[in-house]
């Protein structure tokens, strides 16, 4: 009782090794991709390569604007590798928050102590979100550092907005995992929910990119909410707030069920 | 420790259903403060279910439940701080060291007096510097005991507390129970090790298939236990002795067995009527007489098998 947020701190302390690994992964991706830009994009080589690819593929990957520094960083990292890395990390942590702990029987002991269910859910969710935000911060710092040497010409405000969009998008998957874990206590369901949100978002965005007839799919894709406004070029976009609203909704639903139900033991 | 007049645990018609399966069919329990109350029964009898209901890990489907005067549901975290709980299946997979693991729970459910953790760990022979998940089953169980006892809660709920512990540590655990009782703490424990209940508990509830078969003191349970007796008499008085045995109260299942030459041996089951039995057979010439010490186990097995105590 002496210090605040015991479960939050325990959660971080239990997973710092993993966080270190994900940090290295994000750093490695950025350090591999971004320094290549001057030799690829600057000379127009990349654009001519993209032009020779099938247009459907280019639209699916979102490589339309790869000829600019912002477009390159967006296509290679934020919209692809970074998205995948943070999604996997977030879904893993989100599944660990309740479902994993419940299924392997450790949650029973914690719940039997002097904490409320809401406190467990809130502090562990906060730990997941903070860890994702940390990875977003790592991306911001590295892109900012590489911006000059790699001739990317990215505005700092737009960079922060894009990292926020990435964190928001992956937090949505993570909170889907937290919610389903809180509702069902099943590990596989929680994993599936988080991965499902990510995949459906990506796929509906990619299909929506193909023709104007299907552009309405963007309205339903969290991936589009994050990136359709091209935040690395244009900065903050109101649709990003839909991600936060989604996170809040998932966590509240998870809490409402979790506080009422039996622990599956 | 507040020596309050409210009972430690009261249940009335406590029911727990999982879908169509009923785990508890209306349990009535009254456990006074400062008591050591044991619950025994076969697997699936509802022991663990009852304990989880006390801790609000699961919620009752019906009936009333008060723990330390409060409903577990509305008592919430504040109530659980006053309880120490050892789960029946303790799963600990954290990388944290034992000391940090305990410090975490001490923060949540504390305060824990300085030195209590170390003294408990020393008594149980538990090393606190190692990662929890690398501990053996027995050492994890010790860690579980320390986290239940360390904040000196008003109520201890211990599900199969000695499973995995070696006999020396079991003895130490029984000492800890006695000390807890002296301090006025209430203990609710389950076990299938009947000798443990016999040594530690004041009262015992026998649970079978979600129902309480019997609540009694250990002394009463022992009285209802059956003793195996064996009487050896010279052949000439065999018929007479057989007749006496058949007429005695509390004697069942008399049968003649082969023994030594020119003698007749009888075996039977005897309930609490020891005095009558000894005086009756004492009128005959005896070659040998054996009364085995009643095992609580036998009494309980009797309850498991039959309806209410006869065999």
């Amino acid at each position: 009782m002496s210090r605040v947020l015991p479960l939050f701190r325990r959660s971080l302390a239990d997973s710092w090794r993993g966080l270190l690994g994900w940090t290295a992964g994000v750093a490695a991706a950025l350090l591999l991709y971004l320094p290549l830009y001057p030799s690829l994009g600057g000379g127009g080589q990349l654009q001519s390569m993209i032009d020779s690819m099938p247009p459907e593929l280019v639209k699916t990957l979102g490589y339309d604007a790869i000829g600019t520094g912002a477009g390159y960083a967006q296509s290679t990292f934020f919209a692809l590798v970074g998205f995948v890395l943070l999604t996997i990390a977030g879904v893993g942590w989100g599944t660990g928050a309740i479902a994993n702990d419940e299924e392997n029987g450790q949650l029973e002991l914690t719940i039997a102590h002097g904490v409320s269910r809401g406190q467990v859910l809130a502090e562990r969710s906060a730990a997941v979100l903070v860890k994702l935000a940390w990875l977003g911060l790592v991306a911001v710092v590295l892109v900012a550092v590489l911006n000059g040497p790699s001739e990317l010409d990215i505005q700092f405000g737009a960079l922060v907005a894009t990292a926020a969009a990435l964190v928001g998008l992956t937090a949505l998957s993570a909170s889907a995992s937290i919610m389903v874990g809180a509702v069902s206590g099943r590990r596989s369901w929680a994993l599936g929910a988080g991965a499902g949100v990510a995949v459906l978002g990506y796929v509906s965005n990619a299909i929506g990119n193909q023709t104007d007839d299907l552009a309405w799919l963007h309205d339903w894709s969290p991936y589009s909410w994050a990136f359709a406004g091209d935040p690395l070029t244009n900065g903050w976009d109101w649709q990003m707030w839909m991600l936060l609203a989604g996170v809040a909704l998932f966590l509240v639903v998870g809490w409402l069920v979790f506080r009422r139900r039996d622990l599956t033991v | 420790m507040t020596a309050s007049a409210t009972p430690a645990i009261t249940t009335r018609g406590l029911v727990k259903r999982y879908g169509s399966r009923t785990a508890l069919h209306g349990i009535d329990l009254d456990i006074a403060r400062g008591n050591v109350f044991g619950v025994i029964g076969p697997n699936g009898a509802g022991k663990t279910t009852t304990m989880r209901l006390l801790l609000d890990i699961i919620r009752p489907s019906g009936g009333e439940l008060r723990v330390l005067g409060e409903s577990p549901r509305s008592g919430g975290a504040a109530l659980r701080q006053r309880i120490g709980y050892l789960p029946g299946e303790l799963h600990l997979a954290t990388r944290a060291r034992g000391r940090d693991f305990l410090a975490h729970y001490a923060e949540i459910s504390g305060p824990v007096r300085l030195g209590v953790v170390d003294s408990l760990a020393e008594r149980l022979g538990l090393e606190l510097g190692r990662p929890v998940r690398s501990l053996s089953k027995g050492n994890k169980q010790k860690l579980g005991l320390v986290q239940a006892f360390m904040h000196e809660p008003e109520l201890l709920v211990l599900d199969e507390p000695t499973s995995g512990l070696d006999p020396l540590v079991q003895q130490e655990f029984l000492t800890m129970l006695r000390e807890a009782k002296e301090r006025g703490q209430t203990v609710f424990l389950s076990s299938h090790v009947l000798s443990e209940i016999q040594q530690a508990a004041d009262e015992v509830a026998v649970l079978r298939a979600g129902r309480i078969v019997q609540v009694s003191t250990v002394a009463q349970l022992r009285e209802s236990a059956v003793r195996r007796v064996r009487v050896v008499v010279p052949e000439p008085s065999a018929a007479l002795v057989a007749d006496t045995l058949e007429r005695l109260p509390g004697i069942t299942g008399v049968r003649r067995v082969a023994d030594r030459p020119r003698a007749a041996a009888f075996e039977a089951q005897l309930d609490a009527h020891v005095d009558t039995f000894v005086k009756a057979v004492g009128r005959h010439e005896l070659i040998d007489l054996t009364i085995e010490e009643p095992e609580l186990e036998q009494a309980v097995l009797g309850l498991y098998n039959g309806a209410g105590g006869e065999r």
Side-chain angles (χ1 to χ4, degrees), chain B residues 52-66:
Chain B
R52 284 174 175 158
L53 286 167
L54 302 180
L55 272 299
D56 198 39
I57 294 163
I58 55 177
R59 276 72 189 259
S61 313
E64 281 174 51
L65 173 59
R66 315 288 288 175

Side-chain angles (χ1 to χ4, degrees), chain A residues 1-7 9-10 14 17 104-106 108-117 119 124 258-265, chain B residues 16 18 52 55-59 73 77 80-81 83 85 87 89-96 100-101 104-110 147 151:
Chain A
M1 287 298 280
S2 53
R3 289 185 290 171
V4 288
L5 301 177
L7 295 154
R9 283 184 289 106
R10 179 82 254 152
D14 272 343
R17 282 179 188 81
N104 72 24
Q106 288 186 95
E108 181 184 2
L109 185 60
T110 300
I111 288 288
H113 273 274
V115 285
S116 67
R117 306 251 180 123
Q119 191 185 348
R124 291 187 172 179
F258 187 51
R259 63 199 289 266
R260 271 162 223 272
R261 75 172 168 93
D262 286 354
L263 227 59
T264 55
V265 280
Chain B
K16 181 61 192 173
Y18 295 103
R52 284 174 175 158
L55 272 299
D56 198 39
I57 294 163
I58 55 177
R59 276 72 189 259
R73 186 74 206 275
R80 287 192 297 275
Q81 280 180 346
I83 309 175
Y85 175 57
E89 283 171 45
L90 192 59
H91 299 278
L92 303 171
T94 174
R95 266 205 197 88
D100 299 331
F101 171 86
H104 171 58
Y105 286 122
E107 270 189 80
I108 299 176
S109 288
Q147 63 82 33
H151 55 298

Side-chain angles (χ1 to χ4, degrees), chain B residues 86-88 90 92 120-121 123-127 135-146 148-149 158-177 189-193 195-196:
Chain B
L86 175 73
L90 192 59
L92 303 171
L120 284 172
R123 289 178 68 175
L124 295 170
L126 170 66
E127 213 184 301
L135 295 175
S136 67
K137 184 180 183 323
N139 278 322
K140 282 181 181 165
Q141 188 75 3
K142 292 176 193 172
L143 198 62
L145 283 172
V146 174
F149 276 82
L158 310 171
D159 196 355
E160 304 275 353
T162 57
S163 83
L165 299 182
D166 62 53
L168 271 179
V169 181
Q170 288 190 19
Q171 284 308 312
E172 190 59 42
F173 166 72
L174 289 173
T175 312
M176 281 163 61
L177 278 190
L189 83 160
S190 74
S191 184
H192 60 258
V193 186
S195 60
E196 180 179 295

Side-chain angles (χ1 to χ4, degrees), chain A residues 77-226:
Chain A
F77 180 76
F78 289 104
L80 205 60
V81 177
F83 168 65
V84 170
L85 286 178
L86 267 72
T87 298
I88 296 173
V91 169
W93 291 329
T95 303
I98 303 290
N100 204 21
D101 223 26
E102 180 165 352
E103 206 162 281
N104 72 24
Q106 288 186 95
L107 191 59
E108 181 184 2
L109 185 60
T110 300
I111 288 288
H113 273 274
V115 285
S116 67
R117 306 251 180 123
Q119 191 185 348
V120 171
L121 185 74
E123 292 196 26
R124 291 187 172 179
S125 300
V128 173
L129 298 181
V130 162
K131 285 186 279 188
L132 282 174
W134 161 258
L135 294 182
L137 180 69
V138 169
V140 167
V141 169
L142 279 169
V143 173
V145 167
L146 293 167
N147 197 20
S150 299
E151 302 165 24
L152 295 169
D153 202 19
I154 293 171
Q155 300 302 311
F156 186 72
L159 172 59
V160 172
T162 307
L166 177 63
V167 170
L169 174 59
T170 50
L172 190 69
S173 286
S175 51
S177 289
I178 295 172
M179 172 184 72
V180 171
V183 169
S184 71
R186 302 273 195 89
R187 188 171 175 275
S188 52
W189 292 13
L191 267 178
V197 166
V199 169
L200 285 178
Y202 187 82
V203 168
S204 56
N205 176 73
I207 295 174
N209 284 350
Q210 302 299 325
T211 69
D212 288 343
D213 292 344
L214 294 171
W216 58 269
L217 278 170
H218 289 158
D219 296 343
W220 297 98
S221 163
Y223 188 91
S224 305
W225 301 340

